[in-house]
C-alpha cells in the first residue's frame, strides 16, 4: 500500500471528528434516560438530572425486576418478532423474486407490481381495517399483529431492487443446469444477497419490536400486549381533552410521578434491539463483500 | 412450453402475497366511501348518508387551509431532500473509515434515535433548545444573544426538519451502505490499477453504483409528500408557532379531536393518497421512458 | 385472458366476503328492538319484592368493557388481571352476577377502542359513557330505560346520592320520562379556583399574603427579584403558567377570574355567564378579558412569567414547582395531594398555603360549573337484566362499609379502580372533611363512623394523624401532608373552598348541555384562534389584537353558537 497523502490524512481526521460529533448527538438522549432511571425520584421530577444521575440508586431496576407485566409483555414481543420476521421475510423473498424478473421473462410483472404498489398510498383507514381483521377472526390473537402487515411492500420493493443487481449470468447459468425458479431463489439469489437480507431483516425486526398501536387495537387484554404497547400505556399522560381532574384521575397523576421507573422501562425496551443491531450489522459493513477481496 | 411452465411457477410464488394484500389492504379500501359520506359509526358504511363532495368542500373551504397546505409542502420537501442527502453523505463518509470497530460504533449511534418515540425525544429536544439549554449556553459563551428557538416560526421549522432528519437518518444510511456493499469489488481494484484516487473512485464507482437505490428511495419518499410528520409536530409545537408549523395532519387532528368527524378526515386521507399516487406514477413512467429504468 | 378472469374472481370473492360480513354486523340492529319488551316481563316476574342486594337464583352474566389505569395501591398483588379482581369474586358470591370483559384497554386509549367497538356493532351490556357517546347512543335508540330498575332496585344510599343535588344530574340524563343513564358526578365546587402560594417565601421577604391584584403583583415581583428561597441565586420566577391558558391545572383561569373575567371552564371553549337579563353571554369575548391579558403581558415583560411558558405542558410546570423555582400557582383544592407534596418532600422548608384568588379590590370570585363530571353509566337495550347494573352499583357502595374492610384490602386482590359501574358519594370530600375534623376535635384515635364512607374517611384520618404527629413510617411527610391539607385542614384546599362557597364568592358557568352543532363543527378553529391570539398578546403583540379576535370569533361561528346556547338555555336548562 502506498503512503496516504497529506490531504488524505486531513480528510481522515476531519471525517473522524465529524462522525464522532454525530455519534455523541445520537447517544445523548440515551444517557439522559439512563441517568434519570438511576436517579432519585424527587431529583428526576424536579428536572435536575441531565447527563449524570443525581442521588444514584438502582431502585427502579430492582422494582422492574419484580414486575410481572414487564416480563410477560417482553415474552410476547419476542414471540411476535420471531414469528413476524419469519413470515415477513419469507413473503418478501417469494414476492420480490418473480417481480425482479424483466418484462420479457415474466409478462405480467408490471400488473402485479402496481397491484402491490398502490397499497403503499391507499389505505382504508382505521375502522375498515379493524372490521376486516375482526371478520377474519384474528382479534385477540398474536396473528392480528402479523398477518395484516405480512407483506411489507416497501421492504419488498427494496428487496426486488437488490435482486435486480444480481448479474444475469448467474441466473442463466443455473437455468441451463436445469434449476427451477425455486432453486435459483434459494441457492443463488439469497446467498449473494446477505447484506440486503440483513438490512431488511433488521428493519423488519425493529418494525415488529417498536410497533405498539396495533396491540391496542387488536388485542383485548393487557396481559397479551407486546412490550412497546405496554410501555406506551406508561408514557402517555392523561387524556389532554380533560377539563377537570377527578379524584380518581388525581391518583393516576400521582402514579405518573414515578418518573424513574418509567424511564427505566423505556430504556430496557430499547436495549434488546441495540444488542441485536451490531450482530446483524457485520453483514452489511463493506468488509464482507468488498473489503475481503480488496485488502 | 417450457417458458409457460416457468411463468406458472412465478404466479404461484406470488399467490400468498396477493391473497394477504387482497384481504388486508384492498378489503379495507371499502372504507374510502367514508370520504363521500356523513359517516356515523353506528350506521356503518352501508347506512350512512352519502353527501357527494361535501366533505372535500368543507375541508378545502376552511379558512386556514391554504396556510396549512403551504406549511405541509415546505416542511415535507425540506425533509425529503435532507433525508436523502444527509444519509448519502454519511454513508460515503463511513465508507472511508478503515477502522471497523469505529465504523460499527458510529453506525449504531446514528441508528439509535430511531428507536425512541417522539414522546420521549420531543422532550429532550425542547430541553436542548430552551433558553436555559445547552445550545443557548453555547451561544452566550460566544457572547451571542440567546434565541428562543422554539417560539420563533423560522427557527422552529428548522428544528422540526433538523430533528426529524437526525432521528431518521440511520434508516436510509443503512440501505445505502448495503448498496455500497453490493458494488462489485473488482471495479475498485481496476480503478486503483488505473491510478484513480479515492475521490475519483467515489465519483465514478460508488455513486453510480448507488444511483438505483437512491432514486428508488427518492421516488418512494415522493409518496409521502403530504406527510410532514404528524406525531413530531403535535408533540413539539405550541400556539406561537402555529402559523409556520400547522400541517394538514395536525389540522385534521384538531378537527377530529372535538368530535369524531370521520368523513372530512377520510376525505383528507383520500386527497393525500391521490396526490402521492399521481406523483409516483409520473416519476415511474418518466424514469422508464427517459432512462429505461424501472423503479419497481 | 383466463388468468385475468381468475384474478377478478378472487378480487370479487374477497370484496364480497368483506361486504357480507360488514352487512351482517349491521343487520343485527333491527332485531334488537325486541328484547325491550322482554326486559319488562322479566322485571315483572322476578322474585317478589325487589331487593337491592338480592342474590339471583341463576347466574347472570354481564358483559363489560374497561378502560383502566394500573392498580393504584402499591400493595396490590403483582401481575393481577382484571378478571382476577377480588371484587368480581365477591359479586358472584353475593349477587350471583358474573362479569365478562369483552376487552380491557389502558384508559388513555379507551375512546379509540370504544369507537371501533361502536363501528363494528359490538357493544357490551353495561356502558360507561361520556356525554357525546351517550348522546349518540341515545339518538340511535340503543339505551335501555332504567326508570323501573332504578326505582325498584336502587339502594337507599344510591338514591340519597342521586338526590343530593336535587336530582339535577339525573334529569340531564333522562328523556321523555325515561331514565337512560345513572350519572357519576362530583360536587361542582371542586372546580373553585384558589391561589396557592409559598408561605415560607412570604415570610423570608416579610410580606403578607396578597388580597388584591396589586398586592399579588408586588409579591410576584419580589419572588422574582429578591431571592425568596435565599440561596443567593437569581433562579426563581413569579407565577407558574403552562401553554394551555385554560386547562385543568397550572393555568390562568384563576388569574382571569380575579379581573371579573370568565373566559373558559378549562376546555379552551368559552364559558357562559348570565348577563343579568336572563340571557347567556360568552365570557371569552368580554372586555374584562382584554384587561387581564394586558396585565399578563406586563408580567411577562417583567419576568414574573417564565419567558418560555408557551413551551410548557403540565409536566414541565410540575417540574418547576417541585424544583422550587416558582412559588405561586392558581388551581383547585387538590394541589397538596399532587404536585405540591413533591415539593414538600424535596424541600423540608416548603410551606404552601391556599388563599382566595385576589381581585381588583379585595378577594375575587371564581367560576364554578353547574355539573362536574362527564361520566354516565347506561345499559345496552339488548341486555336482559338491566336491574343487574343497578345492583352492581349498590354492591360497590356497600363494599365501602366497615364490616367488609378486613377483607377489602388491596393486598388481597381488591382493585377498586377496576370495578365498574361505581358511583361515589358526590359529597365524598365534604364527608371526609366533616368526619375527620369531628374525630380530631373529639381526640379520637379511630374513626367511629359506620357507613359506606368509612374507608375513605379512615384513610385521610390516618394520614392526618401521622402528619400532625410527624410520623413518616407509613408514608412520606409530603404524602401525609397532601392528604391532610387537601381534604381535612380548615384552611386547606377543601376547607377554603367551603368558605368560598358559603360566602357565595363565585360565578356560575351556566351551560352544561352537550356541545351544540356549531360548537362541534367550529369549536376546534375557535380554540386555535384563541390560543394563538392570547399567547401572542402575552408575549408582546398589541393588546388591541383582542378586538380583532372578538370580531373574527363572532364571524367564524361564535354568533351562531351564542344563539344555539341561548336556545338551549331558554328551552332545556334546569334553572
Amino acid at each position: 500500500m502506498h503512503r496516504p497523502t497529506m490531504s488524505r490524512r486531513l480528510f481522515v481526521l476531519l471525517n473522524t471528528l465529524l462522525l464522532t460529533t454525530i455519534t455523541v448527538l445520537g447517544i445523548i438522549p440515551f444517557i439522559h434516560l439512563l441517568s434519570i432511571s438511576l436517579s432519585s425520584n424527587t431529583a428526576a421530577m424536579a428536572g435536575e438530572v441531565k447527563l449524570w444521575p443525581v442521588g444514584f440508586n438502582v431502585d427502579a431496576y430492582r422494582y422492574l425486576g419484580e414486575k410481572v407485566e414487564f416480563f410477560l409483555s417482553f415474552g410476547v414481543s419476542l414471540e411476535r418478532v420471531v414469528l413476524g420476521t419469519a413470515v415477513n421475510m419469507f413473503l418478501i423473498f417469494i414476492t420480490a423474486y418473480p417481480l425482479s424478473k424483466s418484462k420479457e421473462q415474466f409478462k405480467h410483472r408490471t400488473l402485479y407490481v402496481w397491484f402491490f404498489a398502490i397499497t403503499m398510498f391507499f389505505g382504508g383507514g382505521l375502522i375498515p381495517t379493524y372490521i376486516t381483521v375482526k371478520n377474519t377472526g384474528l382479534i385477540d390473537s398474536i396473528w392480528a399483529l402479523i398477518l395484516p402487515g405480512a407483506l411489507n411492500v416497501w421492504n419488498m420493493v427494496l428487496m426486488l431492487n437488490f435482486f435486480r443487481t444480481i448479474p444475469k449470468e448467474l441466473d442463466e447459468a443455473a437455468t441451463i443446469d436445469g434449476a427451477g425458479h425455486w432453486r435459483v431463489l434459494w441457492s443463488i439469489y439469497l446467498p449473494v444477497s446477505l447484506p440486503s437480507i440483513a438490512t431488511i431483516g433488521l428493519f423488519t425486526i425493529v418494525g415488529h419490536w417498536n410497533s405498539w398501536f396495533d396491540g391496542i387495537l387488536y388485542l383485548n387484554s393487557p396481559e397479551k400486549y407486546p412490550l412497546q404497547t405496554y410501555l406506551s400505556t406508561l408514557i402517555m399522560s392523561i387524556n389532554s381533552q380533560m377539563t377537570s381532574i377527578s379524584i380518581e384521575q388525581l391518583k393516576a397523576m400521582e402514579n405518573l410521578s414515578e418518573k424513574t421507573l418509567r424511564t427505566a422501562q423505556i430504556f430496557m425496551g430499547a436495549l434488546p434491539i441495540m444488542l441485536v443491531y451490531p450482530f446483524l450489522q457485520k453483514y452489511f459493513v463493506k468488509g464482507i463483500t468488498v473489503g475481503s477481496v480488496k485488502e | 412450453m417450457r417458458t409457460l411452465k416457468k411463468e406458472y411457477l412465478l404466479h404461484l410464488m406470488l399467490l400468498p402475497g396477493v391473497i394477504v394484500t387482497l384481504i388486508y389492504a384492498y378489503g379495507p379500501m371499502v372504507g374510502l366511501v367514508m370520504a363521500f359520506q356523513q359517516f356515523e359509526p353506528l350506521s356503518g358504511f352501508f347506512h350512512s348518508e352519502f353527501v357527494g363532495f361535501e366533505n372535500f368542500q368543507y375541508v378545502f373551504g376552511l379558512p386556514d387551509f391554504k396556510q396549512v397546505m403551504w406549511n405541509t409542502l415546505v416542511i415535507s420537501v425540506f425533509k425529503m431532500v435532507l433525508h436523502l442527502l444527509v444519509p448519502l453523505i454519511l454513508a460515503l463518509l463511513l465508507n472511508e473509515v478503515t477502522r471497523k470497530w469505529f465504523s460499527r460504533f458510529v453506525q449504531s449511534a446514528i441508528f439509535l434515535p430511531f428507536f425512541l418515540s417522539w414522546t420521549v425525544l420531543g422532550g429532550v429536544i425542547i430541553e436542548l433548545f430552551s433558553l436555559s439549554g445547552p445550545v443557548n449556553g453555547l451561544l452566550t459563551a460566544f457572547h451571542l444573544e440567546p434565541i428562543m428557538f422554539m417560539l420563533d416560526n423560522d427557527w422552529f421549522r428548522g428544528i422540526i426538519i433538523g430533528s426529524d432528519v437526525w432521528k431518521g437518518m440511520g434508516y436510509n444510511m443503512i440501505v445505502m451502505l448495503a448498496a455500497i456493499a453490493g458494488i462489485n469489488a473488482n471495479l475498485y481494484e481496476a480503478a486503483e490499477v488505473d491510478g484513480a484516487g479515492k475521490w475519483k473512485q467515489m465519483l465514478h464507482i460508488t455513486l453510480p453504483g448507488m444511483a438505483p437505490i437512491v432514486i428508488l428511495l427518492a421516488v418512494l419518499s415522493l409518496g409521502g409528500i403530504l406527510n410532514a410528520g404528524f406525531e413530531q409536530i403535535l408533540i413539539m409545537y405550541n400556539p406561537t408557532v402555529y402559523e409556520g408549523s400547522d400541517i394538514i395532519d395536525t389540522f385534521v387532528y384538531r378537527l377530529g379531536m372535538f368530535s369524531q368527524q370521520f368523513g372530512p378526515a377520510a376525505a383528507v386521507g383520500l386527497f393525500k393518497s391521490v396526490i402521492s399516487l399521481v406523483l409516483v406514477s409520473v416519476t415511474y413512467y418518466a424514469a422508464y421512458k427517459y432512462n429505461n429504468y424501472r423503479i419497481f | 385472458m383466463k388468468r385475468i378472469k381468475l384474478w377478478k374472481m378472487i378480487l370479487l370473492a374477497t370484496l364480497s366476503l368483506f361486504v357480507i360480513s360488514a352487512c351482517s354486523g349491521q343487520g343485527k340492529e333491527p332485531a334488537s328492538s325486541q328484547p325491550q319488551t322482554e326486559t319488562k316481563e322479566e322485571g315483572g316476574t322476578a322474585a317478589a319484592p325487589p331487593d337491592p342486594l338480592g342474590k339471583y337464583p341463576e347466574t347472570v352474566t354481564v358483559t363489560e368493557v374497561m378502560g383502566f389505569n394500573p392498580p393504584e395501591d402499591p400493595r396490590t398483588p403483582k401481575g393481577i388481571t382484571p378478571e382476577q379482581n377480588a371484587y368480581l369474586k365477591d359479586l358472584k358470591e353475593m349477587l350471583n352476577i358474573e362479569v365478562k370483559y369483552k376487552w380491557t384497554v389502558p384508559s388513555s386509549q379507551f375512546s379509540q377502542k370504544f369507537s371501533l367497538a361502536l363501528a363494528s356493532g359490538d357493544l357490551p351490556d353495561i356502558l360507561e359513557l361520556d356525554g357525546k357517546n351517550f348522546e349518540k347512543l341515545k339518538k340511535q335508540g340503543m339505551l335501555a330505560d332504567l326508570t323501573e330498575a332504578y326505582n325498584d332496585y336502587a339502594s337507599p344510599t344510591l338514591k340519597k346520592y342521586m338526590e343530593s343535588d336535587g336530582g339535577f344530574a339525573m334529569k340531564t340524563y333522562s328523556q321523555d320520562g325515561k331514565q337512560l343513564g345513572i350519572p357519576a358526578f362530583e360536587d361542582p365546587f371542586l372546580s373553585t379556583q384558589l391561589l396557592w402560594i409559598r408561605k415560607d417565601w412570604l415570610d423570608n421577604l416579610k410580606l403578607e399574603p396578597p388580597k388584591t391584584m396589586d398586592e399579588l403583583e408586588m409579591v410576584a415581583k419580589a419572588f422574582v427579584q429578591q431571592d425568596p428561597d435565599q440561596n443567593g441565586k437569581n433562579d426563581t420566577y413569579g407565577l407558574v403558567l403552562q401553554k394551555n391558558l385554560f386547562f385543568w391545572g397550572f393555568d390562568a383561569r384563576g388569574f382571569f377570574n380575579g379581573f371579573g373575567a370568565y373566559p373558559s371552564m378549562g376546555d379552551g371553549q368559552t364559558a357562559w355567564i348570565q348577563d343579568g337579563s336572563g340571557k347567556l353571554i360568552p365570557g371569552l369575548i368580554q372586555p374584562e378579558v382584554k384587561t387581564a391579558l394586558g396585565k399578563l403581558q406586563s408580567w411577562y415583560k417583567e419576568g414574573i412569567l417564565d419567558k418560555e411558558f408557551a413551551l410548557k405542558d403540565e409536566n414541565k410546570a410540575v417540574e418547576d414547582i417541585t424544583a422550587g423555582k416558582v412559588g405561586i400557582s392558581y388551581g383547585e383544592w387538590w394541589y397538596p395531594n399532587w404536585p405540591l407534596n413533591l415539593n414538600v418532600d424535596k424541600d423540608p422548608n416548603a410551606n404552601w398555603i391556599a388563599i382566595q384568588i385576589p381581585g381588583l379590590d379585595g378577594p375575587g370570585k371564581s367560576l364554578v360549573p353547574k355539573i362536574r363530571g362527564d361520566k354516565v353509566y347506561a345499559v345496552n337495550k339488548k341486555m336482559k337484566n338491566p336491574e343487574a347494573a343497578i345492583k352492581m352499583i349498590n354492591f360497590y357502595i356497600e363494599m365501602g362499609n366497615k364490616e367488609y374492610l378486613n377483607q377489602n384490602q388491596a393486598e388481597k386482590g381488591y382493585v377498586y379502580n377496576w370495578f365498574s359501574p361505581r358511583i361515589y358519594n358526590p359529597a365524598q370530600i365534604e364527608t371526609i372533611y366533616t368526619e375527620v375534623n369531628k374525630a380530631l376535635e373529639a381526640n379520637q384515635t379511630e374513626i367511629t363512623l359506620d357507613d359506606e364512607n368509612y374507608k375513605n374517611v379512615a384513610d385521610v384520618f390516618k394520614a392526618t394523624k401521622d402528619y400532625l404527629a410527624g410520623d413518616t413510617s407509613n408514608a412520606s411527610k409530603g404524602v401525609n401532608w397532601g392528604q391532610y391539607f387537601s381534604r381535612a385542614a380548615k384552611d386547606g384546599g377543601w376547607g377554603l373552598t367551603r368558605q368560598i362557597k358559603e360566602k357565595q364568592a363565585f360565578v356560575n358557568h351556566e351551560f352544561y348541555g352537550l356541545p351544540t352543532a356549531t360548537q362541534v363543527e367550529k369549536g376546534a378553529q375557535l380554540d386555535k384562534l384563541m390560543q394563538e391570539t392570547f399567547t401572542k398578546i402575552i408575549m408582546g403583540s398589541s393588546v388591541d389584537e383582542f378586538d380583532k379576535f372578538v370580531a373574527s370569533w363572532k364571524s367564524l361561528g361564535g354568533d351562531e353558537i351564542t344563539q344555539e346556547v341561548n336556545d338551549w338555555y331558554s328551552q332545556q336548562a334546569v334553572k
Side-chain angles (χ1 to χ4, degrees), chain A residues 48 135 217 220 222 233 245 248, chain C residues 21 104 106 113 372 422 424:
Chain A
E48 286 169 354
N135 287 342
L217 293 182
N220 283 345
T233 65
I245 190 167
E248 267 182 44
Chain C
S21 37
T104 52
K113 188 101 176 162
R372 180 175 155 114
R422 59 182 189 284
Y424 289 110

Side-chain angles (χ1 to χ4, degrees), chain A residues 45 48 66 126 132 135 216-217 219-220 222-223 225 233 236 242-243 245 248 251 254 257 259, chain C residues 18 21 68 78 81 103-104 106 109 112-113 116 248 267 319 334 337-338 346 372 416 422 424:
Chain A
M45 280 310 289
E48 286 169 354
E66 296 169 7
L126 200 63
T132 312
N135 287 342
I216 299 257
L217 293 182
L219 300 178
N220 283 345
E223 305 93 79
Y225 282 173
T233 65
M236 294 229 185
M242 201 164 74
T243 56
I245 190 167
E248 267 182 44
K251 288 193 174 136
E254 280 176 67
S257 303
K259 195 171 175 181
Chain C
F18 176 84
S21 37
F68 73 100
K78 294 189 166 50
T81 63
W103 45 262
T104 52
Q109 298 296 324
Q112 192 118 31
K113 188 101 176 162
L116 290 175
W248 50 263
D267 52 359
E319 279 184 11
W334 44 264
N337 202 160
W338 180 86
K346 182 150 193 308
R372 180 175 155 114
Y416 74 91
R422 59 182 189 284
Y424 289 110

Side-chain angles (χ1 to χ4, degrees), chain B residues 39-278:
Chain B
F39 182 73
E40 280 292 333
L42 278 171
S43 317
F45 308 114
F46 303 100
H47 303 271
S48 287
E49 191 193 336
F50 274 89
V51 292
F53 282 87
E54 213 172 83
N55 289 324
F56 292 88
Q57 280 169 348
Y58 170 71
V59 175
F60 298 153
L62 288 170
D64 295 340
F65 192 78
K66 256 190 212 154
Q67 176 75 41
V68 163
M69 196 63 200
W70 174 243
N71 290 341
T72 310
L73 279 174
V74 169
I75 294 176
S76 80
V77 166
F78 270 103
K79 278 186 178 177
M80 269 167 50
V81 172
L82 290 175
H83 266 303
L84 287 173
L85 215 58
V86 173
L88 180 69
I89 294 170
L90 283 176
L92 290 174
L93 289 179
L94 265 173
N95 194 38
E96 297 303 324
V97 173
T98 39
R99 267 158 298 190
K100 269 189 202 155
W101 67 267
F102 183 64
S103 165
R104 275 194 204 176
F105 186 68
V106 174
Q107 280 184 50
S108 305
I110 289 176
F111 204 42
L112 274 182
F114 187 80
F115 298 127
L116 291 180
S117 63
W118 277 117
T119 349
V120 175
L121 283 180
V124 175
I125 286 162
I126 291 175
E127 221 158 88
L128 279 178
F129 288 94
S130 76
L131 268 184
S132 53
V135 177
N136 269 309
L138 215 63
L139 286 182
T140 36
F142 287 106
H143 302 287
L144 293 167
E145 281 291 304
I147 299 169
M148 291 207 274
F149 291 102
M150 308 295 284
L151 295 173
D152 179 288
N153 271 304
D154 296 329
W155 280 112
F156 184 74
R157 257 190 208 166
I159 287 170
I160 286 286
I161 294 164
S163 59
D164 189 60
V165 171
W166 168 70
K167 183 180 191 282
M169 62 191 179
Y171 193 99
N172 279 353
M173 180 192 74
I174 286 172
V175 178
M176 292 179 186
L177 277 174
I180 295 179
I183 295 173
N184 194 341
N186 298 332
L187 293 175
Y188 289 99
E189 269 174 26
E192 214 140 294
V193 171
D194 288 350
K198 291 275 181 192
W199 177 253
K200 284 224 162 117
Q201 288 181 27
M202 186 202 84
L203 228 53
H204 297 293
I205 302 170
T206 317
L207 274 182
M210 294 167 79
I213 287 289
V214 176
I215 294 172
L216 172 76
L217 291 175
V219 172
L220 288 184
S221 73
L222 267 182
I225 186 126
L226 294 181
N227 295 324
F230 169 65
E231 200 194 353
Q232 180 199 16
I233 291 179
L234 188 70
I235 281 163
M236 287 167 59
Y237 79 168
N238 61 72
T240 40
V241 293
Y242 275 165
E243 202 183 310
S245 63
D246 197 16
I247 56 167
I248 297 183
D249 290 334
T250 50
F251 182 69
V252 172
Y253 170 77
R254 280 202 314 276
L255 280 183
M257 197 170 74
F258 210 73
S259 69
Q260 298 135 326
Q261 298 200 42
F262 298 103
V268 172
L270 189 59
F271 168 69
K272 285 168 61 180
S273 298
V274 171
I275 300 267
S276 332
L277 187 66
V278 168

Side-chain angles (χ1 to χ4, degrees), chain A:
Chain A
M1 284 284 139
H2 45 250
R3 285 176 68 86
T5 59
M6 188 63 197
S7 64
R8 176 74 191 161
R9 264 196 261 164
L10 189 69
F11 167 78
V12 170
L13 182 75
L14 285 179
N15 192 10
T16 313
L17 266 176
L18 181 70
L19 291 175
T20 311
T21 317
I22 294 172
T23 308
V24 171
L25 282 179
I27 295 177
I28 278 181
F30 279 84
I31 298 187
H32 181 68
L33 281 181
L34 187 63
S35 304
I36 290 178
S37 70
L38 291 170
S39 297
S40 75
N41 201 33
T42 38
M45 280 310 289
E48 286 169 354
V49 187
K50 302 286 182 232
L51 294 177
W52 200 253
V54 178
F56 181 87
N57 70 77
V58 293
D59 289 354
Y61 289 90
R62 200 173 295 149
Y63 184 65
L64 194 59
E66 296 169 7
K67 260 197 128 158
V68 188
E69 294 93 339
F70 183 82
F71 289 101
L72 271 182
S73 60
F74 202 96
V76 176
S77 271
L78 282 184
E79 191 186 347
R80 172 180 186 171
V81 167
V82 171
L83 278 177
T85 308
V87 171
N88 281 27
M89 293 309 282
F90 180 73
L91 275 178
I92 285 177
F93 294 153
I94 62 168
T95 314
Y97 174 80
L99 301 185
S100 70
K101 300 286 168 204
S102 68
K103 205 169 176 183
E104 293 71 43
Q105 288 169 295
F106 182 31
K107 212 167 61 194
H108 301 291
R109 78 164 288 280
T110 316
L111 189 70
Y112 278 110
V113 162
W114 281 103
F115 170 78
F116 289 117
I118 281 177
T119 64
M120 283 199 280
F121 315 114
F122 285 90
L126 200 63
I127 293 173
T129 311
Y130 176 84
I131 293 177
T132 312
V133 173
K134 188 167 174 250
N135 287 342
T136 44
L138 298 185
I139 293 291
D140 214 21
S141 124
I142 193 159
W143 291 103
L145 310 181
I146 295 171
L147 283 187
L151 180 65
N152 183 318
V153 177
W154 181 286
N155 284 342
M156 191 271 289
V157 170
L158 270 185
M159 193 80 231
L160 96 83
N161 270 276
F162 282 123
F163 277 166
R164 280 207 296 223
T165 61
I166 295 172
K168 287 242 160 58
E169 302 83 55
L170 280 178
D171 207 350
E172 280 159 15
T175 324
I176 291 163
D177 285 353
H181 285 302
W182 201 247
R183 254 191 55 207
V184 172
L185 171 60
W186 291 104
S187 31
I188 295 174
Y189 273 52
L190 295 190
V192 299
S193 308
L194 274 185
S196 3
I197 293 176
T199 306
I200 290 167
L202 178 77
F203 291 163
T204 309
I205 292 174
V206 171
H208 273 296
W209 185 265
N210 275 354
S211 61
W212 59 276
F213 194 57
D214 49 359
I216 299 257
L217 293 182
Y218 302 136
L219 300 178
N220 283 345
S221 55
E223 305 93 79
K224 292 178 183 158
Y225 282 173
L227 188 62
Q228 296 299 331
T229 309
Y230 164 71
L231 289 181
S232 74
T233 65
L234 300 170
I235 299 171
M236 294 229 185
S237 56
I238 303 247
N239 191 347
S240 56
Q241 286 177 52
M242 201 164 74
T243 56
S244 66
I245 190 167
S246 74
I247 297 164
E248 267 182 44
Q249 284 159 336
L250 188 56
K251 288 193 174 136
M253 291 308 277
E254 280 176 67
N255 280 352
L256 277 179
S257 303
E258 291 175 30
K259 195 171 175 181
T260 54
L261 182 61
R262 268 189 292 149
T263 42
Q265 300 190 65
I266 296 167
F267 187 78
M268 292 302 285
L271 199 61
I273 296 281
M274 292 196 261
L275 295 179
V276 173
Y277 181 82
F279 198 70
L280 284 172
Q281 197 183 7
K282 78 169 192 241
Y283 289 102
F284 50 75
V285 266
K286 73 175 189 187
I288 172 172
T289 44
V290 188
S292 56
V293 193
K294 206 170 152 192
E295 228 111 18

